[in-house]
Amino acid sequence: MTNEELQELLSQANSTKKKGKFADTESIARQVVDLITDENDPLVRVRALCLVSQSLWQRGRAMDALPSATEALACASLTDNKQEQALVIANMGIVQTRISNYPLALEYFQKALSHFEEIGDALNIARTYGNIAVVYKDLSEYHRALEYYRRAYALFEENGDTLGMTNMTTNIGTTYSYLSDYPNALECFNKVLAVYQEEGNKSSIAVVLGNIGNVNRKLGDYARALEFYGKSIALFEELDIKHGVGIFTVNTANVYSQLSDYERALEYYSKVLAIYEEIGDHSGIALIIGDMALVYYDLADYPRALEYNLKALEHHEKFGEKESSARMIGNIGLIYMKQADYEHSLEYLTKAHTLRKEIDDKVGAARVLGNIGAVYHLQGDYPRALIAMSEALEELEHAGSKSQVAELTGHIGSVYATKTFIEYDAIKAEQYLLTAIDLYIELGIKKMLYDNYKILSMLYEQERRLGVALDYYKKYHDIEREVQSEESLKSAQAMDIRRKAEEAERDRQIKLARFQEQEKILHNILPAQIAERMVQGEKTIADSYENVSVFFSDIVGFTELAQQVSAEELVVMLNGIFSQFDMLARKHGLEKIKTIGDSYMAVAGAPTWYENHAERAAFFALDVAELMKNYRTASGERMEMRFGVHSGSIVAGVIGENKFAYDLWGDAVNTASRMESQGEAGKIHVSEEFLKKLLMVNGEWLIDDAEDFPSLTINNLPLTINELPLTIIPRGEIDIKGKGMMKTYFLEKI
């Protein structure tokens, strides 16, 4: 083929690259490489190899990109074209950045910079400054990253390159966001958004909208974050840029994870996983598996978190992604720390620390070293804890990472405040803790602030400075209440977001169901196995269950409370409470049946039957009781609930023709309701039948009669079920409405 024909193919490859269709780019570029002969211009081969490399690292396959980048470099060195040589060297710098080989990446960028300066290519000098900034950004050296982004911006401005200016403004905004300077970040993003909107540049608009969503997420405005993510995703879908769809769908999942809506977070992560598998983004696949591991970590499902981290690590190591590998190894170390397996924790954290140092990631290495210090602290090895933490602190102070500086400073203070430490030093402890407190106040991180108030209060108490101890104990409680209030608002916001999202999803599914997807909407409103039976054509669903446990709860004094708050406040409050109940129900395997006003009804053992249904209901009841123990309304008033549980037989089925509902009937339902209504505020009122099921082993009840015990015991020890200590307090015989005299009990956690 002629040079002109090959160049036409390269133009097509570049066009697909601009559209984000990198697999097509690779295919066309490889075709060009195969068609080139010795008679063709050698620069065509250089450009084609460079495109192959770019198409691969753009899809997260930087190690696969390395051979073509290396070959392009060798071919370019045989030409006299300084411009092409510099471009190929810069591309190699990007590949090295993508595989976390930062020192080598900087070497290549400096070489490219020298070439561009020699030939006076100002625009590519600016682009190289931008690439150097990316290296420093990846190394968390954000101030140096800003320095190079600003250099790049100045050169683009000097040469009238509006596109380059807007790109650098976007990058500067992102860096401000990393530095928690959100006003400046938003100013940058809004500035470039106006430019892109005027140009009608939809792909860039989508990126900036997503970045604005990121800032709102960091500011805790999750509803607004989801709004911007939704707009960004819609534009990327319109443009068929799947990689963009994937990035901001991940961020949507991150919002739900931050809202503790882990079920929905995993749902979105699964969607992204499918996208990345479709486009062959191996790096993206590994990152999503790592994100899913974090969800399981937050759920305290450490075995599964470990499994997913190991999967992610395998992917990252396969493609030579050292920074991501270091992150996964560090996360594995943290999982072992949570499991109190300190030997394995130190093994993995040490590996992560070594790898961070190898790639010259000083800030990352310091973070890991701080975690190593935390493990030593937990082991009671205070001298080694101090050495590790102090070294990490020095590096983080140099980097200006204030939140991490505050955390480590507080940890060091707590070490010096440990009375059993041979170098116990109340003065140093006080100094470190007060410094940490000042930083947390500056940063507005209240959760860590009240932890440090508490430690400082305990320190003053140890030193017999009781007046100051009391002052800080009050500060601790004041901030703790603020945090709880904010958490309640966050839960309410999460429920509101979830409600709106569910409404939108329900509307979408109803439309689809009118044509061919009735199954999906049925699964949304009915238990999965019940929906499946309806889809298969079963007209009447009615099942009998010999043994289940039914749970009821009710708010004490709800009528009076409802008259004291607005309708909106009331709904938000109930949504916040019941959404957390829903999460706990899923955790323990209960099926939520319905809410009626302020009442919540659930069942263990239907429609999925569990032999340990009573145990599941007990754990669930204890968790919701603990949740509501210190609950307060937005106005600060304490709210109390009654809880009731009973075991027995029921009938369950689906009623309705248009709006289906899965419901329960039978004496067990009525009795469970009576347990709740005739219980006491804050207590779990249970029947003797429920207690028998709870204490049943091989069909035998462990206790014949508990009447003579003030607190039920076995062999004079507190009763323990699956290592959860329980106290069962007999209430005696009481007259239960509609049932007569019944023996009932209160279930409490020791």
Side-chain angles (χ1 to χ4, degrees):
M1 293 186 76
T2 65
N3 288 327
E4 290 74 18
E5 289 170 328
L6 291 172
Q7 196 58 54
E8 176 59 31
L9 283 174
L10 287 180
S11 297
Q12 292 176 26
N14 274 308
S15 177
T16 59
K17 188 180 79 166
K18 288 177 182 177
K19 294 176 183 176
K21 297 182 177 180
F22 302 119
D24 292 342
T25 306
E26 181 189 1
S27 176
I28 297 169
R30 287 194 184 280
Q31 183 184 351
V32 172
V33 171
D34 291 340
L35 291 169
I36 290 172
T37 66
D38 291 340
E39 296 177 1
N40 294 119
D41 185 348
L43 289 178
V44 175
R45 178 182 292 276
V46 172
R47 292 165 189 156
L49 287 167
C50 221
L51 277 170
V52 171
S53 170
Q54 290 165 1
S55 70
L56 289 164
W57 59 250
Q58 287 278 13
R59 287 180 286 162
R61 296 168 59 185
M63 282 300 289
D64 290 343
L66 192 56
S68 50
T70 303
E71 188 179 349
L73 200 59
C75 291
S77 68
L78 299 175
T79 73
D80 295 327
N81 192 314
K82 288 279 186 183
Q83 173 83 7
E84 292 293 340
Q85 288 175 6
L87 288 170
V88 171
I89 291 168
N91 178 66
M92 178 60 87
I94 294 172
V95 173
Q96 296 297 335
T97 303
R98 294 295 181 108
I99 60 176
S100 310
N101 199 341
Y102 300 121
L104 195 54
L106 288 172
E107 282 184 31
Y108 278 109
F109 288 138
Q110 289 298 338
K111 285 181 185 177
L113 205 55
S114 297
H115 279 60
F116 289 133
E117 286 170 346
E118 184 181 336
I119 61 178
D121 188 343
L123 291 179
N124 273 314
I125 291 171
R127 293 184 186 110
T128 306
Y129 282 152
N131 287 330
I132 292 171
V134 170
V135 173
Y136 286 121
K137 183 264 295 178
D138 285 355
L139 288 169
S140 303
E141 295 187 34
Y142 301 123
H143 292 290
R144 293 195 74 178
L146 274 178
E147 175 193 334
Y148 277 92
Y149 281 138
R150 285 171 179 148
R151 286 190 195 179
Y153 181 90
L155 269 176
F156 283 129
E157 186 177 33
E158 187 181 316
N159 288 273
D161 189 326
T162 306
L163 178 61
M165 290 164 62
T166 50
N167 285 340
M168 288 308 107
T169 304
T170 301
N171 292 336
I172 288 168
T174 303
T175 309
Y176 277 132
S177 180
Y178 288 134
L179 286 166
S180 303
D181 187 348
Y182 302 123
N184 272 322
L186 285 173
E187 183 183 339
C188 290
F189 293 145
N190 286 319
K191 188 185 293 184
V192 296
L193 183 61
V195 173
Y196 290 139
Q197 286 174 332
E198 187 177 341
E199 295 174 350
N201 187 338
K202 289 186 176 181
S203 62
S204 296
I205 290 170
V207 171
V208 178
L209 288 172
N211 285 335
I212 293 173
N214 290 340
V215 173
N216 281 286
R217 174 164 62 89
K218 290 179 179 179
L219 286 168
D221 190 344
Y222 300 117
R224 197 159 172 77
L226 288 175
E227 176 190 340
F228 278 99
Y229 289 152
K231 290 177 181 178
S232 174
I233 291 166
L235 277 174
F236 279 126
E237 285 178 336
E238 180 186 329
L239 298 167
D240 195 28
I241 301 177
K242 291 187 169 73
H243 193 263
V245 173
I247 289 171
F248 292 107
T249 305
V250 168
N251 292 352
T252 301
N254 291 339
V255 169
Y256 285 114
S257 184
Q258 284 180 269
L259 289 167
S260 301
D261 190 346
Y262 298 118
E263 181 182 357
R264 182 147 291 202
L266 288 170
E267 176 189 331
Y268 276 91
Y269 285 136
S270 298
K271 287 180 182 178
V272 185
L273 200 56
I275 292 171
Y276 285 159
E277 285 172 346
E278 181 186 344
I279 64 177
D281 186 343
H282 298 286
S283 181
I285 291 168
L287 289 171
I288 295 304
I289 294 170
D291 286 337
M292 294 172 83
L294 290 176
V295 171
Y296 290 119
Y297 181 88
D298 288 340
L299 286 167
D301 187 346
Y302 300 125
R304 188 167 289 187
L306 185 61
E307 174 193 340
Y308 274 74
N309 266 304
L310 288 168
K311 281 182 184 177
L313 177 60
E314 183 182 349
H315 276 74
H316 288 308
E317 287 183 334
K318 180 180 179 181
F319 295 103
E321 295 161 347
K322 293 181 181 178
E323 192 279 332
S324 296
S325 296
R327 183 157 35 83
M328 292 303 107
I329 293 167
N331 288 346
I332 291 167
L334 293 177
I335 291 168
Y336 280 124
M337 183 170 70
K338 283 288 187 181
Q339 293 177 310
D341 185 346
Y342 301 130
E343 182 181 348
H344 280 102
S345 178
L346 285 172
E347 176 190 339
Y348 277 90
L349 289 172
T350 302
K351 284 181 183 177
H353 184 246
T354 302
L355 191 50
R356 291 282 187 189
K357 289 175 72 175
E358 183 182 317
I359 62 176
D360 201 29
D361 182 0
K362 294 176 183 176
V363 175
R367 289 173 186 155
V368 177
L369 191 57
N371 289 329
I372 289 171
V375 176
Y376 286 136
H377 190 185
L378 289 168
Q379 286 182 310
D381 190 343
Y382 304 121
R384 294 177 80 177
L386 277 180
I387 291 169
M389 289 179 183
S390 299
E391 185 181 332
L393 180 61
E394 184 179 349
E395 185 61 50
L396 291 170
E397 284 176 332
H398 177 72
S401 305
K402 286 189 176 180
S403 63
Q404 284 143 358
V405 167
E407 186 176 355
L408 268 178
T409 303
H411 283 324
I412 292 171
S414 69
V415 173
Y416 279 120
T418 305
K419 203 68 167 163
T420 55
F421 181 25
I422 194 170
E423 295 180 38
Y424 169 79
D425 190 327
I427 294 173
K428 283 186 178 180
E430 180 184 29
Q431 289 171 344
Y432 277 104
L433 289 167
L434 286 172
T435 301
I437 285 168
D438 287 341
L439 283 168
Y440 283 130
I441 290 172
E442 180 187 339
L443 295 167
I445 304 176
K446 293 180 181 178
K447 172 65 173 69
M448 300 301 293
L449 178 60
Y450 78 70
D451 284 344
N452 280 267
Y453 276 146
K454 185 178 181 181
I455 296 167
L456 191 56
S457 172
M458 292 167 65
L459 173 69
Y460 287 136
E461 187 178 2
Q462 286 175 182
E463 292 297 303
R464 297 292 186 267
R465 296 169 64 182
L466 301 181
V468 189
L470 183 59
D471 287 342
Y472 276 93
Y473 194 70
K474 287 177 180 176
K475 288 181 180 181
Y476 155 64
H477 271 295
D478 288 343
I479 296 294
E480 185 184 35
R481 279 195 294 270
E482 282 184 38
V483 170
Q484 287 174 345
S485 177
E486 288 169 5
E487 287 296 318
S488 296
L489 288 173
K490 178 180 168 182
S491 296
Q493 184 185 14
M495 191 60 207
D496 187 49
I497 289 169
R498 185 178 179 89
R499 179 182 58 77
K500 289 176 181 176
E502 286 177 346
E503 284 176 359
E505 180 70 6
R506 186 163 57 247
D507 289 344
R508 185 184 73 83
Q509 289 192 356
I510 288 171
K511 289 174 185 176
L512 290 172
R514 286 174 182 162
F515 299 96
Q516 54 183 325
E517 299 201 18
Q518 185 180 12
E519 180 180 3
K520 287 185 179 179
I521 192 166
L522 286 173
H523 277 279
N524 276 349
I525 60 177
L526 298 171
Q529 56 268 61
I530 300 299
E532 190 61 33
R533 288 164 64 184
M534 291 193 70
V535 168
Q536 290 175 1
E538 195 169 341
K539 298 297 183 185
T540 302
I541 294 180
D543 303 307
S544 296
Y545 296 88
E546 280 301 312
N547 264 306
V548 299
S549 293
V550 182
F551 168 93
F552 274 89
S553 70
D554 191 76
I555 295 174
V556 178
F558 179 77
T559 304
E560 292 78 12
L561 176 65
Q563 294 169 351
Q564 296 169 12
V565 298
S566 68
E568 183 180 357
E569 288 173 324
L570 187 66
V571 172
V572 167
M573 179 186 68
L574 289 175
N575 279 343
I577 293 169
F578 290 151
S579 64
Q580 293 181 80
F581 277 30
D582 290 346
M583 282 186 1
L584 291 170
R586 289 192 293 271
K587 173 184 173 183
H588 294 293
L590 274 74
E591 186 73 44
K592 173 187 173 181
I593 302 302
K594 59 187 172 184
T595 57
I596 307 170
D598 62 315
S599 296
Y600 186 99
M601 177 184 176
V603 63
T608 302
W609 191 79
Y610 299 106
E611 186 173 1
N612 65 339
H613 58 85
E615 182 177 307
R616 289 172 179 267
F619 291 176
F620 172 70
L622 288 165
D623 276 0
V624 295
E626 185 69 19
L627 175 72
M628 298 305 298
K629 189 175 181 180
N630 297 310
Y631 188 90
R632 292 186 180 274
T633 64
S635 62
E637 293 181 14
R638 189 177 176 189
M639 178 189 290
E640 293 186 303
M641 274 193 167
R642 290 186 300 266
F643 310 94
V645 191
H646 174 69
S647 295
S649 60
I650 60 160
V651 172
V654 177
I655 55 172
E657 292 182 359
N658 297 319
K659 294 184 178 180
F660 300 113
Y662 182 75
D663 211 342
L664 314 178
W665 302 271
D667 183 63
V669 176
N670 298 332
T671 305
S673 178
R674 297 288 181 235
M675 289 296 104
E676 175 273 315
S677 62
Q678 293 184 240
E680 293 180 11
K683 293 188 176 182
I684 304 166
H685 192 204
V686 303
S687 65
E688 188 174 34
E689 286 76 13
F690 170 79
L691 193 58
K692 286 180 179 180
K693 294 295 178 282
L694 187 63
L695 303 179
M696 190 75 74
V697 175
N698 297 326
E700 296 291 329
W701 192 29
L702 298 180
I703 301 296
D704 293 328
D705 198 319
E707 214 168 36
D708 297 331
F709 292 88
S711 163
L712 187 64
T713 62
I714 297 176
N715 298 329
N716 298 318
L717 295 172
L719 174 64
T720 300
I721 299 173
N722 289 354
E723 299 182 0
L724 179 65
L726 300 175
T727 298
I728 301 169
I729 302 170
R731 194 181 186 189
E733 286 195 349
I734 62 171
D735 188 8
I736 299 296
K737 186 177 178 182
K739 296 291 294 182
M741 301 302 292
M742 288 181 63
K743 285 182 182 179
T744 65
Y745 305 81
F746 288 122
L747 184 69
E748 293 181 0
K749 184 184 289 187
I750 293 178

